[in-house]
């Protein structure tokens, strides 16, 4: 039912109806933001998501299959995340900004039960991951796609998706071991 | 799998961490997106300047780096290069080439993001469990470090489910040595032509070879040791890619370096303002509908279209007694990667009863085009005496491609 409504809104929005696109924003913005913030962090996520929705608005006429809007938007978000991560200078600035934001946030969210030292170690390890590894982690653990689905979404051989996940997990594991030792 | 204090596995911990990172959307952002949509940037004049060229060049840089990112295996030692391991090499004894991954190509214009043949992702998946032990990896890394003068590299190979190590010689001795270092581990030993130390040194040499780059007019995007191919992969751009690739092979040895060099765009050409039988009355960046063509036969239609395109005031004057207007809804890629389109000419084919535009791109194909097409509208006044006899067709380009929005049949009055 939800899918049908979404597809209907996509069809109407495709004709330039901004109200219909608003409804798509309502339905999809949170998921898009969660994905983006997991990949690029809070300093860049808002820009990434806003630009992604603008891209989607501009390009909606080219989306033929209305019921594929969600994965289509996700691809746009991922593209925008890659752009945000590509500059070393921006990357370094973002790391600093994120550290500041985390300090300001103070408390932990409900589902975040890790100790602050563990979280800091993982953050540090995560910052060192490649964009590809981050994207696989986010799609698998945040968007809850299976590894097979991640491979399909990123158009990768499943072995490649698995190896990216394994490399990312190995890096995180090393960080945890160093922190606990 | 490694267990952590609190009996959480690494994967559980990472999952918790990732979900913690994925915070809910700030309340003000949704409103901000809505306002941005309402402002409708696709209907405002975008600047056409050297900024767009800069964006195009930056896009190419990203394109090259992204194209370079083709992970074929997980290198055990930290990869010092910008680009991760790439394609398998004929210099290794065995190994089946994997299909290329992460390719980024210009998408077809009518449906840029979605493969219609794309399969529906399976609903279920097996739990992720590595086939190897971290402690074995560490032991094998230590073994490799002790034989650095013969060690070519190592990676986790998910196709063969082995920890693969390469050496330049004495494979049997290293097979026994590695098995002794990590008993029971799934080990595969292959031959490499070059040691990792040699390749890392070469990688650093290439990255620091600024004078050579300058002489070639070469812009380096990445240089990294491809452990599986046992070669240094170089990605970059130059005005004459073939010459630059040959120069790299000559300088560093064709068996040691694999350059992939993309063409740099030349200066963005000027958009012609007029041609044989036509003149440009307006060029609107990021406005209109991509892949469309319209024929505006009179002032009223022209005014209405001008308003529809969110342009203020009166449109540029057109003498509709002697002229008509064609609206070519062209497209470019998003983010500047594909540069701005140029309408280079309008062709009047009386025999075929066809009028079409010739739209070109300053950036050559093969460079990443981002996913979404951005409209670029050319409003062109055409000389009525040059038009074919009615009914005739007005089309965006000579060849039809995709849906029929890109052409319109102009009927008799």
């Amino acid at each position: 039912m939800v899918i049908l409504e979404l597809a209907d809104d996509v069809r109407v929005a495709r004709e330039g109806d901004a109200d219909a696109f608003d409804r798509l924003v309502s339905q999809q913005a949170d998921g898009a933001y969660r994905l983006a913030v997991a990949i690029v962090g809070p300093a860049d996520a808002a820009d990434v998501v806003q630009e992604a929705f603008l891209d989607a608005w501009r390009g909606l006429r080219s989306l033929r299959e209305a019921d594929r809007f969600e994965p289509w938007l996700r691809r746009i978000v991922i593209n925008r995340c890659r752009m945000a991560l590509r500059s070393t200078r921006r990357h370094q600035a973002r790391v600093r900004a994120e550290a500041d934001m985390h300090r300001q946030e103070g408390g932990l969210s409900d589902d975040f039960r890790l100790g602050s030292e563990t979280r800091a170690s993982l953050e540090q390890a995560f910052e060192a991951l490649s964009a590809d590894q981050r994207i696989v982690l986010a799609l698998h653990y945040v968007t809850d796609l299976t590894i097979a689905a991640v491979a399909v979404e990123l158009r990768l051989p499943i072995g490649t998706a698995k190896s990216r996940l394994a490399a990312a997990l190995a890096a995180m594991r090393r960080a945890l071991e160093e922190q606990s030792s | 799998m490694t267990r952590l204090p609190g009996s959480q596995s690494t994967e559980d911990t990472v999952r918790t961490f990732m979900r913690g990172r994925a915070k809910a959307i700030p309340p003000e952002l949704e409103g901000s997106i809505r306002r941005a949509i309402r402002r409708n940037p696709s209907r405002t004049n975008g600047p056409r300047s050297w900024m767009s060229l800069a964006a195009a060049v930056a896009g190419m840089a990203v394109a090259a780096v992204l194209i370079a990112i083709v992970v074929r295996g997980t290198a055990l030692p930290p990869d010092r290069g910008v680009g991760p391991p790439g394609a398998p090499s004929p210099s290794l004894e065995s190994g089946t080439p994997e299909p290329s991954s992460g390719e980024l190509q210009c998408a077809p214009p009518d449906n840029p993001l979605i493969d219609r043949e794309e399969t529906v992702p399976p609903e279920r998946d097996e739990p992720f469990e590595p086939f190897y032990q971290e402690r074995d990896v560490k032991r094998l890394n230590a073994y490799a470090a002790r034989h650095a003068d013969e060690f070519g590299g190592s990676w986790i190979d998910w196709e063969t489910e082995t920890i693969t190590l390469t050496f330049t010689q004495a494979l049997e001795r290293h097979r026994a040595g590695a098995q002794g270092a990590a008993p029971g581990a799934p080990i595969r030993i292959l031959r490499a032509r070059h040691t990792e130390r040699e390749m890392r040194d070469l990688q650093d040499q290439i990255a620091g070879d600024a004078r050579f780059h300058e002489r070639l007019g070469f812009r380096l995007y990445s240089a990294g040791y491809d452990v599986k191919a046992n070669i240094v992969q170089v990605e970059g751009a130059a005005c004459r890619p073939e010459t630059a690739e040959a120069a790299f092979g000559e300088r560093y040895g064709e068996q040691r370096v694999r350059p992939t060099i993309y063409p740099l765009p030349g200066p963005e050409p000027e958009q012609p303002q007029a041609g044989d039988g036509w003149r440009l009355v307006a060029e609107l960046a990021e406005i209109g509908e991509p892949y469309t063509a319209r024929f505006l036969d009179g002032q009223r239609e022209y005014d209405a279209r001008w308003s529809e395109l969110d342009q203020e005031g009166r449109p540029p004057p057109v003498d509709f007694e002697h002229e008509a207007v064609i609206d070519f809804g062209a497209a470019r890629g998003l983010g500047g990667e594909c540069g701005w389109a140029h309408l280079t000419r309008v062709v009047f084919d009386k025999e075929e009863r066809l009028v079409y535009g010739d739209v070109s791109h300053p950036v050559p194909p093969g460079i990443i085009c981002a996913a979404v097409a951005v409209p670029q509208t050319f409003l062109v006044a055409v000389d009525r005496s040059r038009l074919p006899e009615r009914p005739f067709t007005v089309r965006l380009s000579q060849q039809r491609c995709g849906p029929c929005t890109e052409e319109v049949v102009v009927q008799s009055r």
Side-chain angles (χ1 to χ4, degrees):
Chain A
M1 186 65 183
V2 171
I3 292 170
L4 284 177
E5 286 172 1
L6 181 84
D8 287 344
D9 280 336
V10 171
R11 289 189 193 96
V12 177
R14 203 159 46 191
E15 299 306 313
D17 188 320
D19 290 336
F21 197 81
D22 275 356
R23 291 193 291 277
L24 294 175
V25 172
S26 298
Q27 293 173 62
Q28 301 293 323
D30 190 56
Y33 183 80
R34 285 178 189 275
L35 177 63
V37 77
I39 296 170
V40 301
D44 281 339
D47 283 349
V48 161
V49 172
Q50 179 152 323
E51 289 300 319
F53 272 104
L54 286 173
D55 295 344
W57 173 237
R58 290 166 180 161
L60 197 58
R61 287 177 66 88
S62 61
L63 173 66
R64 280 186 183 165
E65 296 171 87
D67 58 350
R68 300 287 297 161
F69 179 77
E70 193 172 342
W72 182 75
L73 177 67
R74 212 155 42 220
R75 287 287 297 273
I76 297 174
V77 170
I78 287 171
N79 280 352
R80 280 287 170 187
C81 286
R82 285 187 197 280
M83 290 182 191
L85 289 171
R86 71 188 180 192
S87 159
T88 306
R89 191 174 295 173
R90 280 195 64 193
H91 176 73
Q92 288 166 345
R94 183 174 45 74
V95 171
R96 285 195 295 274
E98 274 188 42
D100 291 344
M101 290 180 79
H102 281 305
R103 275 196 293 278
Q104 289 163 11
E105 281 167 6
L108 304 176
S109 57
D110 291 342
D111 62 346
F112 199 72
R113 298 182 297 276
L114 303 173
S116 59
E117 286 183 10
T118 302
R119 187 175 60 155
S121 297
L122 288 172
E123 282 289 352
Q124 200 172 358
F126 188 83
E127 290 303 331
L129 297 182
S130 69
D132 288 329
Q133 291 168 342
R134 290 175 180 219
I135 289 163
V136 169
L137 277 184
L139 286 174
H140 189 47
Y141 294 125
V142 175
T143 311
D144 280 336
L145 295 183
T146 64
I147 280 297
V150 169
V152 169
E153 185 120 338
L154 298 177
R155 299 176 187 174
L156 296 172
I158 190 166
T160 304
K162 282 185 174 180
S163 76
R164 288 181 187 178
L165 180 61
L169 286 176
M172 305 293 260
R173 185 182 298 119
R174 279 194 296 276
L176 289 168
E177 286 170 353
E178 283 168 16
Q179 183 241 328
S180 61
S181 63
Chain B
M1 181 174 284
T2 307
R3 290 275 160 187
L4 297 165
S7 74
Q8 271 198 316
S9 70
T10 302
E11 192 175 14
D12 290 340
T13 307
V14 171
R15 180 182 285 110
T16 307
F17 165 74
M18 289 303 296
R19 289 183 176 170
R21 265 182 82 84
K23 299 182 190 314
I25 188 168
E28 67 278 9
L29 179 58
E30 213 176 293
S32 168
I33 294 169
R34 286 206 177 86
R35 284 192 295 278
I37 297 299
R38 296 289 175 184
R39 283 198 302 273
N40 192 0
S42 68
R43 292 174 185 277
T44 58
N45 273 310
R48 283 211 51 183
S49 65
W50 283 98
M51 291 292 286
S52 63
L53 178 61
V57 172
M60 287 180 62
V62 161
V65 171
L66 292 180
I67 290 164
I69 295 175
V70 183
V71 175
R72 314 274 182 173
T74 308
L76 303 185
D79 189 18
R80 291 192 294 152
V82 180
S89 165
S91 67
L92 300 181
E93 279 183 337
S94 65
T96 309
E98 297 170 12
S100 87
S101 57
E103 305 94 327
L104 292 159
Q105 297 173 335
C106 291
D110 56 298
N111 193 3
L113 271 176
I114 304 300
D115 283 341
R116 267 166 284 177
E117 301 76 18
E118 194 169 61
T119 53
V120 176
E123 293 296 321
R124 298 174 63 82
D125 195 20
E126 294 174 3
F128 178 75
E129 194 72 38
F131 62 85
Y132 59 91
Q133 300 290 322
E134 279 289 319
R135 64 172 182 274
D136 291 334
V137 172
K138 286 181 180 171
R139 288 168 181 164
L140 290 168
N141 274 338
Y143 176 82
R146 290 196 298 275
H147 299 86
D149 53 342
E150 295 175 349
F151 176 61
S154 57
W155 66 92
I156 303 289
D157 194 287
W158 286 85
E159 296 304 313
T160 58
E161 298 209 336
T162 59
I163 304 170
T164 302
L165 298 93
T166 66
F167 293 90
T168 53
Q169 56 186 323
L171 300 195
E172 284 309 313
R173 174 163 58 82
H174 287 302
R175 187 170 286 118
Q179 282 167 351
I187 296 168
R188 184 172 62 148
I189 305 292
L190 299 175
R191 180 182 301 282
R193 186 174 284 131
H194 313 287
T195 65
E196 177 169 295
R197 181 188 289 163
E198 181 192 351
M199 292 289 98
R200 297 288 185 196
D201 289 347
L202 178 61
Q203 173 192 314
D204 290 344
Q205 186 190 344
I206 291 171
D209 205 351
R211 283 189 181 173
F212 175 64
H213 300 168
E214 195 178 338
R215 208 164 58 241
L216 277 182
F218 172 73
R219 184 176 304 165
L220 180 68
Y221 294 157
S222 70
Y225 174 39
D226 181 339
V227 65
K228 289 179 87 172
N230 193 217
I231 206 163
V232 174
Q233 297 262 22
V234 177
E235 302 269 346
C239 293
R240 287 188 289 278
E242 287 177 7
T243 308
E245 285 184 3
F248 263 91
E250 192 175 321
R251 184 171 180 84
Y252 300 112
E254 287 181 357
Q255 293 188 339
R256 300 202 310 155
V257 62
R258 180 183 294 157
T260 304
I261 300 177
Y262 305 95
L264 278 173
E268 189 168 5
E270 288 292 317
Q271 166 61 49
Q273 296 301 302
D276 186 17
W278 64 277
R279 65 184 177 89
L280 189 66
V281 293
E283 181 192 357
L284 307 173
E286 300 189 7
I287 295 177
E289 295 84 38
Y291 314 116
T292 57
R294 288 178 171 81
F295 185 79
L296 310 173
D297 213 359
Q299 188 68 46
R300 187 178 299 175
E301 287 173 71
Y302 180 47
D303 289 346
R305 181 62 182 152
W306 188 253
S307 171
E308 198 174 73
L309 291 168
D310 278 356
Q311 300 303 298
E312 292 176 357
R314 298 280 299 163
V318 172
D319 172 11
F320 276 96
E321 190 177 337
H322 300 101
E323 293 175 316
V325 171
I326 295 177
D327 171 347
F328 288 113
R332 56 169 289 217
L334 176 71
E337 289 88 348
C338 301
W340 291 101
H342 292 82
L343 179 69
T344 54
R345 61 182 182 143
V346 178
V347 179
F348 305 91
D349 188 336
K350 290 197 173 183
E351 202 168 305
E352 294 292 324
R353 292 192 174 183
L354 175 67
V355 180
Y356 61 90
D358 194 350
V359 178
S360 69
H361 268 285
V363 177
I367 304 300
I368 177 177
C369 286
V372 182
V374 172
Q376 190 177 350
T377 296
F378 298 96
L379 292 176
V380 177
V382 292
D383 187 343
R384 284 189 187 275
S385 68
R386 302 296 306 276
L387 293 174
E389 189 181 338
R390 299 187 187 215
F392 62 88
T393 300
V394 174
R395 192 182 294 159
L396 182 59
S397 57
Q398 184 175 19
Q399 299 297 324
R400 279 190 66 178
C401 70
C404 290
T405 55
E406 64 186 32
E407 69 174 33
V408 62
V409 176
V410 180
Q411 302 290 350
S412 302
R413 280 181 158 173

